[in-house]
Amino acid sequence: MKTSYRLLLVQFAFAAAGASAAALALPQAASAAVVVVAPGAPPPVRYEPLPPPRAGYVWDHGHWRWQGDRYVWVSGHWQVARAGYHWIPGHWVAHGPNWRWIPGRWA
């Protein structure tokens, strides 16, 4: 009986170690699948002057980000250009009574 109990503990330890390793890898994979939904429309976009062109970069304009229970403004920033692609900025889309954030991406 004691031997089978030890075997069970060893099996449990290996299973827990595997689950821990999977949990460590999960945040990287899960971060790509985060869906942001806000209960109301974002405020009007703020005007930001477009900076002068910068070789090798694309300007990603500012936008409202849903944080907790309110919108917070995120200033525009430079994205490193990818050869053969163009930048599609992130934007909010009405989704029923809520609003859903579609992240910017290269296409």
Side-chain angles (χ1 to χ4, degrees):
M1 183 91 157
K2 287 184 181 181
T3 305
S4 63
Y5 181 68
R6 285 185 192 152
L7 181 59
L8 181 63
L9 284 177
V10 170
Q11 289 175 341
F12 177 76
F14 279 112
S20 297
L24 290 175
L26 182 63
Q28 293 174 347
S31 65
V34 172
V35 176
V36 178
V37 177
V45 176
R46 290 184 181 175
Y47 170 75
E48 289 184 323
L50 187 64
R54 186 174 169 191
Y57 291 86
V58 174
W59 181 251
D60 187 11
H61 62 80
H63 63 273
W64 291 103
R65 178 181 69 210
W66 183 253
Q67 185 172 320
D69 61 348
R70 64 189 172 99
Y71 284 102
V72 177
W73 181 254
V74 176
S75 297
H77 60 277
W78 291 105
Q79 293 274 19
V80 177
R82 291 181 61 187
Y85 292 86
H86 67 277
W87 178 249
I88 299 175
H91 55 281
W92 288 98
V93 175
H95 193 259
N98 301 319
W99 286 76
R100 185 177 193 173
W101 174 249
I102 307 299
R105 62 184 167 76
W106 292 99

